[in-house]
Amino acid sequence: MKVTAAVFEGVGQDLVVQELELEEPKAGEVLVRLAASGVCHSDYHVVKGEWAATGPLVLGHEGAGVVEQVGPGVTHVEAGDHVVLSWVPYCGRCEYCLAGRPGLCQQVQQTAYENVMADGTSRLSRAEGTVYSYLTAGSFADRVVVPATGAVRVRKDAPLDRVALIGCAVATGVGAVTNTANVRPGDSVLIVGCGGVGLSAVMGAALVSAAEIIAVDLNDDALDRATALGATATINAGRESVPDRVRELVGEDGVDWAFEVIGLKETLETAYALVKPGGTAVVVGQSAEGVRIELDPMLMSDREKSLIGSNYGSCHPARDFPRLVELYMKGKLDLDQLISGRGTIHDINDAFAAMGRREAGRTIIVH
Ligand SMILES: [Zn+2]
Ligand SMILES: [Zn+2]
């Protein structure tokens, strides 16, 4: 069948909206008609060449839609079901999946991270040859064939143009707080970077009743959104010293938990520096390839300050996505605060330009 998609052709180039051929789902695959897709910084990393990826590639990995057809052997969803896409289509059988950590699934490393399905091929093509689907989610398209575990069923009355965000930003940010870190009521939390994931971390910290939720960004609009989502203090790092303000707010020792949601050397090192003895800094931000950080290991061995990583909020998509949808439907996750605007697939390059200008909030592409 024909689909309309935004295709990455090469670094630094605008995505090109074009018609592609999409095959039917094979065994263990699901065809989804997409309703909406969020535009995430990880797509932008590829466009800017900060992460190596070979075109042609349909970008987008944060989407939601309606199942149209399932391949042989798929039983967990059927035509008509509403689904949120996941970019870790886990195998369920490897040691990481069995340990409840599908974000580390071995099969995902060899398939979704290589933009191919379980059999090593892609379902997309055009006259010139194969086109790949980013993380096998390729959501900048009106239809997509995804691995079965990449389509997570959610309740049908949830608005797809909001819950699409759960597939990346919200699972990653909320999960970093509630799964990876296990923040406790009354803890103090620092969140450095208030893009979609950082704002979701603010929501997560508010959900678990962190006492102090300090949000840092360079953009006042982003900080206003953080306040609306539950931040108890905000710091504009362009105007104020982050270490000085954090110590003013919580004392000289620093915070219990710091979440770095940008991926830069300077902010990673600052986040670690502002964690109290026995506290933990969590690396959530996705760095450009080649970024390295410097830390004093004595702060780990003597002060027991930890540094841990969080991929996809250590989430289990099939368990966590329906719960996050439920929280949204009950008014406990204000997804609207993450959204700055809506557009069509033809607005995709403008959405990246807004990202380049560090504008706050996410653009939702409505298909
Ligand atoms: Zn993302
Ligand atoms: Zn696995």
Side-chain angles (χ1 to χ4, degrees):
M1 77 202 74
K2 300 283 183 209
V3 297
T4 302
V7 182
F8 165 77
E9 304 277 3
V11 171
Q13 300 172 30
D14 279 354
L15 301 193
V16 182
V17 176
Q18 57 197 269
E19 204 167 70
L20 303 174
E21 184 65 30
L22 178 65
E23 287 178 60
E24 294 204 338
K26 297 190 175 177
E29 299 175 359
V30 176
L31 169 65
V32 179
R33 178 168 51 79
L34 285 162
S37 175
V39 183
C40 175
H41 215 99
S42 298
D43 302 302
Y44 194 40
H45 272 308
V46 172
V47 174
K48 286 199 293 185
E50 291 173 348
W51 291 354
T54 314
L57 179 65
V58 176
L59 287 177
H61 58 280
E62 185 181 77
V66 179
V67 172
E68 278 196 336
Q69 192 186 337
V70 300
V74 175
T75 55
H76 76 299
V77 288
E78 59 186 25
D81 280 345
H82 288 203
V83 293
V84 172
L85 301 189
S86 157
W87 49 263
V88 292
Y90 54 95
C91 75
R93 297 180 301 275
C94 73
E95 77 168 271
Y96 301 99
C97 285
L98 294 175
R101 306 182 74 173
L104 304 178
C105 173
Q106 284 168 332
Q107 180 174 286
V108 168
Q109 307 290 320
Q110 291 149 13
T111 57
Y113 281 21
E114 298 293 329
N115 308 317
V116 292
M117 307 297 272
D119 65 359
T121 65
S122 172
R123 300 292 160 264
L124 287 166
S125 63
R126 59 186 180 186
E128 301 92 313
T130 303
V131 176
Y132 295 91
S133 175
Y134 188 41
L135 296 167
T136 62
S139 59
F140 298 159
D142 49 15
R143 281 180 173 77
V144 65
V145 170
V146 299
T149 55
V152 179
R153 187 173 61 195
V154 297
R155 53 190 275 187
K156 281 186 183 172
D157 56 345
L160 292 167
D161 67 338
R162 313 289 202 302
V163 299
L165 292 165
I166 286 171
C168 185
V170 176
T172 303
V174 174
V177 174
T178 61
N179 291 331
T180 312
N182 192 21
V183 172
R184 307 298 300 160
D187 283 353
S188 53
V189 172
L190 173 67
I191 292 155
V192 183
C194 292
V197 176
L199 290 175
S200 297
V202 171
M203 283 195 272
L207 263 181
V208 299
S209 299
E212 196 80 53
I213 305 171
I214 307 168
V216 179
D217 204 274
L218 292 166
N219 180 315
D220 287 327
D221 179 15
L223 293 173
D224 289 344
R225 291 170 190 265
T227 300
L229 291 169
T232 56
T234 61
I235 305 174
N236 185 315
R239 293 197 300 267
E240 300 172 279
S241 158
V242 176
D244 288 354
R245 280 278 286 133
V246 169
R247 290 184 178 122
E248 253 173 56
L249 288 160
V250 296
E252 280 302 309
D253 280 357
V255 292
D256 294 302
W257 303 93
F259 296 85
E260 201 279 354
V261 200
I262 306 172
L264 297 175
K265 173 181 167 64
E266 187 192 349
T267 45
L268 285 160
E269 291 172 357
T270 300
Y272 185 74
L274 292 173
V275 163
K276 67 168 64 161
T280 303
V282 186
V283 182
V284 183
Q286 301 274 6
S287 303
E289 287 166 15
V291 170
R292 299 289 180 271
I293 60 174
E294 286 175 79
L295 300 175
D296 177 357
M298 274 298 283
L299 294 173
M300 297 187 177
S301 57
D302 191 62
R303 303 278 75 205
E304 297 194 354
K305 288 175 55 157
S306 299
L307 180 74
I308 62 174
S310 178
N311 179 34
Y312 213 179
S314 308
C315 78
H316 195 306
R319 175 196 67 191
D320 291 350
F321 288 10
R323 295 169 70 114
L324 291 165
V325 168
E326 207 59 38
L327 286 167
Y328 170 72
M329 297 299 281
K330 295 285 191 321
K332 296 183 178 185
L333 279 182
D334 184 5
L335 301 183
D336 296 285
Q337 282 295 338
L338 303 185
I339 301 171
S340 56
R342 288 182 168 73
T344 71
I345 201 157
H346 298 282
D347 301 313
I348 189 73
N349 294 304
D350 293 339
F352 286 128
M355 219 169 243
R357 293 190 298 271
R358 294 185 176 180
E359 287 179 14
R362 241 164 164 73
T363 305
I364 298 287
I365 300 296
V366 180
H367 296 292

